Amino acid sequence: MRDLKNGRRELNADSRWSGTNRPARRGNDGAPSRAGIRAENRRRRRRRALLIFYFFLFFTVVSAAVAVSLTVLFKIDTIQVGGTSRYTQEQIIGACGIKKGENLFLAKTRQSEKQIQARLPYIGSVKVRRKFPARISIQVAEAQVCGAVESSGKYVVLGDDFRVLEMADKLPQSCVLIRGITLKSPKAGKTAEFADKSRQSSLTEVEKALKDNGLKNITGMDFSSASKILLTYEGRVTINLGIPSDLDYKISFAKKLFDDGEIKSTEKGTLNLSTAGDNDTAYFDPASGS
């Protein structure tokens, strides 16, 4: 800007506009001039180039940080085991498939859980978790045993989720023997496949009713007849549940009879609950000499 005669001032365009705010120069007809268009295009190219540069700079920094974290930082230095199990900590750590020195982020925790259950069947539940900065935590719980089914000269021990826990040569101590059930090619660590799905359903319902009502000391089950499900209580009382209906009510009825002393702790015989769901009545036939 400079002063002219008569107080008039000359304004320079550069004193009013700068950078991206400068309008394109226009010709006499008001349209942008070629020089103005070229200048505007140069500014746009510079802005795009800067954006691309900053993007690649950010990408490079992030990639470098990730590479460092995966190769130098967060290396596993501790694997801890908690909970209750018949297996040793060394057995569980060996079965998990995760090693010290591996990167914490790359540890396959879900796969590790599956491997532990497959290799150590008596583990009922397992949780493998990452703990910062460099620790793996394994929490386990013992599997609950449902009972054992005879199959091809072996006793197939089932968990309450019907996973095969063991293929034993003899019936394990305190294990319920389940009769009338056929399994297809059972294998330790795998879920058992039942030949008859209706028998599986009945076993599931009986197990649930026993657990919900707290009736313990069941020493045997027999599903040989679909219309006459039999349980053995303390090896001395046979409980006839009849068809697989009203099982929760029938089992709660049986528990009350035992708890109230209606059937003495020294008595042997058969407790018939097959019609209890219809007439609220149970029948006890003592064994001779009991």
Side-chain angles (χ1 to χ4, degrees):
M1 177 180 70
R2 59 177 179 169
D3 293 329
L4 301 177
K5 294 179 179 181
N6 300 323
R8 181 179 294 177
R9 290 179 298 171
E10 179 181 347
L11 298 177
N12 188 293
D14 291 335
S15 68
R16 301 172 57 202
W17 308 99
S18 60
T20 58
N21 293 324
R22 180 186 298 174
R25 294 173 184 169
R26 298 178 177 273
N28 295 330
D29 57 357
S33 67
R34 292 183 179 180
I37 293 174
R38 286 196 297 268
E40 181 64 23
N41 288 339
R42 283 195 297 270
R43 284 192 293 272
R44 289 177 179 174
R45 284 196 294 269
R46 281 197 297 269
R47 286 198 298 271
R48 281 198 297 268
L50 282 174
L51 286 174
I52 293 172
F53 170 76
Y54 287 132
F55 171 78
F56 279 106
L57 179 62
F58 174 78
F59 179 78
T60 301
V61 171
V62 171
S63 298
V66 171
V68 170
S69 66
L70 294 180
T71 56
V72 179
L73 305 176
F74 303 108
K75 287 188 175 180
I76 299 169
D77 59 21
T78 306
I79 302 177
Q80 294 180 333
V81 178
T84 57
S85 169
R86 66 181 59 193
Y87 303 107
T88 65
Q89 289 194 9
E90 289 74 17
Q91 286 176 305
I92 295 171
I93 292 173
C96 79
I98 298 174
K99 307 293 183 183
K100 289 183 180 180
E102 290 184 21
N103 184 269
L104 188 69
F105 292 108
L106 299 181
K108 299 178 180 178
T109 56
R110 291 290 180 87
Q111 180 178 317
S112 178
E113 292 171 352
K114 293 178 180 179
Q115 285 185 190
I116 291 173
Q117 284 193 312
R119 296 174 182 178
L120 307 175
Y122 272 98
I123 288 181
S125 64
V126 55
K127 297 291 183 183
V128 180
R129 295 289 182 265
R130 301 178 182 89
K131 300 290 184 179
F132 292 101
R135 180 164 58 94
I136 289 290
S137 170
I138 304 174
Q139 195 71 23
V140 299
E142 185 81 359
Q144 299 299 310
V145 178
C146 169
V149 176
E150 282 191 84
S151 179
S152 302
K154 297 280 188 179
Y155 289 93
V156 183
V157 182
L158 300 177
D160 58 4
D161 58 355
F162 299 148
R163 195 161 49 90
V164 178
L165 306 180
E166 182 182 356
M167 304 281 289
D169 292 325
K170 61 180 182 178
L171 184 67
Q173 188 175 5
S174 302
C175 186
V176 177
L177 178 61
I178 305 173
R179 301 182 186 276
I181 297 288
T182 301
L183 302 177
K184 296 181 179 179
S185 303
K187 185 177 180 181
K190 303 292 185 180
T191 300
E193 184 179 358
F194 288 68
D196 188 333
K197 296 299 182 182
S198 65
R199 296 289 198 277
Q200 180 180 0
S201 178
S202 296
L203 175 57
T204 300
E205 292 177 22
V206 168
E207 281 290 314
K208 184 177 184 304
L210 290 172
K211 185 179 296 185
D212 290 347
N213 291 283
L215 180 59
K216 301 179 180 179
N217 302 323
I218 297 298
T219 55
M221 300 183 188
D222 193 341
F223 296 87
S224 300
S225 172
S227 61
K228 190 178 181 181
I229 297 174
L230 302 175
L231 305 181
T232 304
Y233 177 77
E234 292 185 347
R236 61 185 178 86
V237 177
T238 298
I239 303 173
N240 179 7
L241 298 175
I243 62 174
S245 65
D246 302 310
L247 291 175
D248 186 76
Y249 175 70
K250 292 173 182 177
I251 288 175
S252 67
F253 198 157
K255 185 175 187 300
K256 181 173 176 55
L257 293 174
F258 291 124
D259 290 347
D260 292 349
E262 294 291 334
I263 300 175
K264 297 180 176 59
S265 60
T266 57
E267 286 186 299
K268 298 180 181 180
T270 299
L271 174 61
N272 192 334
L273 289 162
S274 60
T275 60
D278 298 322
N279 56 23
D280 298 321
T281 303
Y283 306 92
F284 181 68
D285 297 318
S288 58
S290 65

